[in-house]
Amino acid sequence: MVTGGKSLQKIHNLVCKDCAPIKLTYFIMIFASVHFVLSHLPNFNSISGVSLAAAVMSLSYSTIAWSASVHKGVQPDVEYGYKASTTSGTVFNFLSALGDVAFAYAGHNVVLEIQATIPSKPGKPSKGPMWKGVVVAYIVVALCYFPVALVGYYMFGNKVEDNILISLEKPTWLIVAANMFVVIHVIGSYQIYAIPVFDMLETLLVKKLHFRPSRKLRFITRNLYVAATMFVGICFPFFGGLLGFFGGFAFAPTTYFLPCIMWLAIYKPKRFSLSWITNWICITLGFLLMILSPIGGLRNIILSAKGYKFFS
């Protein structure tokens, strides 16, 4: 919600430089309006086209981001030191950055949902194509992230925006195109993350609370979820802080230590074997990540909110 809204605002500001400024709130609402429609698609297969477009857009805007940064060149007042002036501030920023990394390389809860939709037979289990898909996915992720991170930091230093495309202005048509690509990408990624949540909510309402499964139930549930995420995005449009907070709090368990606990419970490797030690290291680091990174992310949100007025 926040990324889509900020990218739409950037497009407006670049295309219509003489226009009166429009609040970020309205751009988040415009972005949310798309999801009030797309959220009623039934399953992962039905959003395959949206997902493909999102993947292509991701590669495209990442390439534009680092190539436009190279074109802009190293800024005259660039600084590569720590952003914070105190040791405690640096430590908190480090913890928040760990949450950013956890968020960036998370998504294993969605991977399980995707695998559940693939036909699996004893002679041709679903883990074969899923393993190939995961390997390709991480290669693509690396191609997107590393050039942007290294080139962006070299050109802008510690003053680079959370979304590097916000730091760039020229060439105008290219930055407008890149931000449009971002909008298309996050439309797809929102749906990919939302579908498992929709499934969980509707299952809970039908099986536990005994609601009758119907289109009306789906319509109300999904619209309320989109409205809730829109409201949170409008209230707390702090992209970097939110990444750190949710990266640790929401994604660290499903990515870094719950799979390891499941592995140990199912396969029961010999104590102090390489597999046993590796999994326990991941469990320990993952648990620490879940505890510590939200603290750094929450601190950044509080600092960003000091001069912020709700719905401004």
Side-chain angles (χ1 to χ4, degrees), residues 1-226:
M1 286 291 174
V2 176
T3 310
K6 283 191 172 182
S7 294
L8 286 172
Q9 187 182 48
K10 181 73 174 182
I11 292 168
H12 171 266
N13 293 343
L14 287 172
V15 171
C16 192
K17 292 181 179 178
D18 297 327
C19 296
I22 299 175
K23 293 177 184 178
L24 178 61
T25 298
Y26 296 119
F27 288 106
I28 293 176
M29 291 170 72
I30 292 167
F31 181 78
S33 65
V34 178
H35 297 292
F36 281 113
V37 177
L38 289 181
S39 291
H40 298 287
L41 294 171
N43 52 43
F44 274 118
N45 292 333
S46 62
I47 64 163
S48 58
V50 178
S51 182
L52 176 62
V56 173
M57 295 300 104
S58 184
L59 275 169
S60 301
Y61 74 70
S62 299
T63 304
I64 291 172
W66 67 259
S67 57
S69 297
V70 170
H71 181 266
K72 190 176 181 75
V74 179
Q75 298 307 289
D77 56 345
V78 67
E79 292 180 10
Y80 299 112
Y82 295 126
K83 233 177 186 179
S85 56
T86 62
T87 303
S88 60
T90 302
V91 171
F92 280 119
N93 284 347
F94 171 73
L95 296 177
S96 182
L98 287 178
D100 292 353
V101 175
F103 193 105
Y105 285 93
H108 291 69
N109 51 334
V110 178
V111 167
L112 293 174
E113 294 283 343
I114 294 169
Q115 185 167 355
T117 66
I118 297 178
S120 187
K121 299 175 183 177
K124 195 177 180 181
S126 61
K127 70 178 183 180
M130 279 304 299
W131 175 251
K132 292 177 184 176
V134 168
V135 170
V136 171
Y138 275 109
I139 290 171
V140 172
V141 166
L143 289 173
C144 290
Y145 287 170
F146 282 100
V148 172
L150 297 173
V151 173
Y153 187 68
Y154 182 65
M155 299 302 169
F156 297 101
N158 59 19
K159 292 182 181 177
V160 68
E161 293 281 349
D162 296 324
N163 177 355
I164 193 171
L165 292 171
I166 304 299
S167 296
L168 297 165
E169 298 284 340
K170 294 180 180 180
T172 303
W173 66 271
L174 191 62
I175 305 306
V176 168
N179 277 283
M180 198 65 240
F181 294 161
V182 172
V183 172
I184 296 169
H185 174 221
V186 290
I187 285 173
S189 59
Y190 181 98
Q191 288 301 313
I192 288 170
Y193 277 103
I195 282 180
V197 180
F198 295 149
D199 185 49
M200 181 186 69
L201 288 174
E202 288 160 15
T203 301
L204 176 71
L205 289 170
V206 172
K207 290 190 173 181
K208 300 289 185 184
L209 303 178
H210 307 295
F211 281 81
R212 189 170 65 86
S214 62
R215 288 187 177 181
K216 184 179 179 182
L217 178 68
R218 170 177 284 195
F219 181 83
I220 293 171
T221 303
R222 297 188 176 200
N223 281 350
L224 283 175
Y225 176 81
V226 174

